[in-house]
Amino acid sequence: MAESIIVGINWGDEGKGRMVDLLTEKYDVVCRYQGGGNAGHTVINQYGKFALHLLPSGLFRPGTMNILGNGVAVDLESLWEEMQSVIEQGVDITPENLRISERASLLLPWHRELDSLEEARLKDKKYGSTKQGIAPFYSDKYQKKTILAGELFYPEYLLNHVKDLVEWKNLTITKVYGAEPYTVEQVYGWLMEYGEKLKPFICNTAKYLRDAQAEGKNILFEAQLGSLKDLDFGICPYTTSSNAIAAYAPVGSGLTTAKMDDIIGVVKAYSTAVGEGPFTCEMFGEEAEKLREAGGEYGAKTGRPRRVGPIDLVATRYGVQCQAATNIALTKMDVLSYMDEIPVCTKYIVDGEETDEFPFPVALIDAKPVIEYVPGWKVDISGVRNWEDLPQEARDYVEMIEKAIGCRIGYVSVGPERDSIIIR
Ligand code: GDP
C-alpha cells in the first residue's frame, strides 16, 4: 500500500498536473485536498489537452476514483462547466470516478464578485487575485458562514441557512462596496440549479478514503499551487488562502490517518510566478521574453503572461523544507536547451549580506539575487528517456540542483506528454 502526495515546491505551475497524470497508473484514488478552481493543471494525454481547474488529474485513468476533499472550495457552477468540457472531449465522469465531500464548503457567486470588488478597491495595492472568489470563500469558511455540500440533501434547512447568509452578506456587499444586494431566490435558485446536477457526486468521501486505506488501496493526494503560495509558509499576503503544503493533506482530504510515504515535490527547471509580490530572481526584457516563449509561460486559467526567472535555489530549498519532500520531479528541462549558459540564482543579498536562507516576507521586498551561470547543453533533449543519454551538462545541472536543495531528484521531465519523462 502506498499513500503519496504531489505538491508544488515553488510558486505553482510547476507541472503537478502532468506528474499526477503520469503517476495515477499506480494509484486507485486521487484526492484534491485544498484550493479551488483558480488552479490550472495542464494535462496532455490520449484524449487531448486539458486545463483542469477543480477536477483531480486522475480522471483520465479508467478505474481511478477521484475525490474533492472537504478542504476544497467547491464552486458548483464552474465545476459543472468544467465537467461538461472534459466529457465533451470523450472522458467519462460519473459517481463511479468522481466524488465530492459532503463536508466541502460551497463557493457562492458572491465570493467571485467580492474578489473583484476588493481588488478594485485595492487599486495599485492589489494582491493579484485570479478573481475566482477563493480569498472571500476561505474567509467565510473560517467564519462558519458557508454552506456545506451535504446541505443540498436538506432543502428546508438549506433555505433557512441561505436566508441568514444573504442577510449577513448583503451588509458587506451594499454598505462596504456599494454594490447590488443578492436575493434569497437568486442564491437558493443557483444552489438548486447546480446542486441537482451535482448531488449524485456528493457523499461521505472521508469514509470512502478510510475504507480504501483499510483495504490497502494506493492513494495519491494532489495539491494546488506551491510552498511559496501557502497561506502560512508563503510570501504573505501574496499567497493563496489555503494551505498548499503536504502537511495539510490529512485535514483537507478527510483522511486524518493519511501516511504519505512519498512526498513528491515538483520543481520547474527555471522559475515562474503569477500575480503580484516579490519575485527575487525575476528576469526582464529580451532574456525574459525568450524564456517565456520557450516555456509557453502563460496562465492556464487566465492567459496572463507569467513572470519568469532562473531556478531559485534559495526559494526551492525552502520550498522543499516546507513540504518535507522526499523526492523531486524536475520539469521542463527541455525548455532550457536553447541557452548557451544557464543562469542560476544561488543566493540572495539581504541588507547588504549574502544569504542562502529564505527571508521573512517583508525582508524579501528588497532582496537581490546572486546569479551564477552554468554551461548549457544546446541540444534537443525532448526525446531522451534514459538518464545516461542526457548530455553531461544536463546531468550536471540536475545534480547541482539536487545538492543545493538537499533532496533527491527522481524524475526529470523533458516534455509535456505523459511519456516524456526520465525516471532515475
Ligand atoms: P501545474 O499547475 O503545476 O500542473 O502546472 P501547469 O499545468 O500550470 O504548468 C505546467 C505547463 O508545463 C503545462 O503547460 C504542461 O503541459 C507543461 N509541461 C509540464 N512538464 C513539461 C516538460 O517537462 N516540458 C515541457 N516543455 N512542458 C511541460
Side-chain angles (χ1 to χ4, degrees), residues 12 34 49 128 137 175 266 353:
Q34 46 80 227
K49 181 171 178 178
F137 163 83
K175 296 209 162 53
V266 187
E353 303 266 331

Side-chain angles (χ1 to χ4, degrees), residues 101 136 143 211 249 283 319 379 382 398 401 423:
S101 170
Q143 288 195 78
D211 291 348
M283 297 191 314
V379 287
S382 58
V398 175
I401 297 170
I423 302 175

Side-chain angles (χ1 to χ4, degrees), residues 13-18 40-42 44 306 331-332 334-335 413-416:
D13 305 316
E14 299 93 345
K16 292 177 295 297
R18 175 250 185 291
H41 292 177
T42 312
I44 301 174
R306 292 177 180 148
T331 61
K332 297 196 124 177
D334 54 305
V335 172
S413 172
V414 290

Side-chain angles (χ1 to χ4, degrees), residues 3-16:
E3 282 166 30
S4 305
I5 177 159
I6 295 190
V7 292
I9 295 293
N10 302 112
W11 293 264
D13 305 316
E14 299 93 345
K16 292 177 295 297

Side-chain angles (χ1 to χ4, degrees), residues 193-266:
E193 181 182 349
Y194 293 100
E196 278 311 309
K197 298 183 201 297
L198 285 160
K199 257 160 74 176
F201 297 88
I202 298 168
C203 64
N204 184 347
T205 53
K207 176 167 169 22
Y208 181 92
L209 285 167
R210 278 195 301 274
D211 291 348
Q213 188 181 51
E215 289 163 23
K217 289 194 173 157
N218 297 322
I219 303 170
L220 183 65
F221 301 96
E222 181 183 8
Q224 181 215 1
L225 293 166
S227 317
L228 304 171
K229 295 279 183 184
D230 180 272
L231 180 60
D232 285 75
F233 296 94
I235 306 168
C236 187
Y238 305 102
T239 62
T240 194
S241 302
S242 63
N243 289 107
I245 56 161
Y248 188 71
V251 178
S253 65
L255 186 65
T256 51
T257 51
K259 304 280 184 305
M260 291 186 286
D261 314 289
D262 210 4
I263 301 178
I264 304 166
V266 187

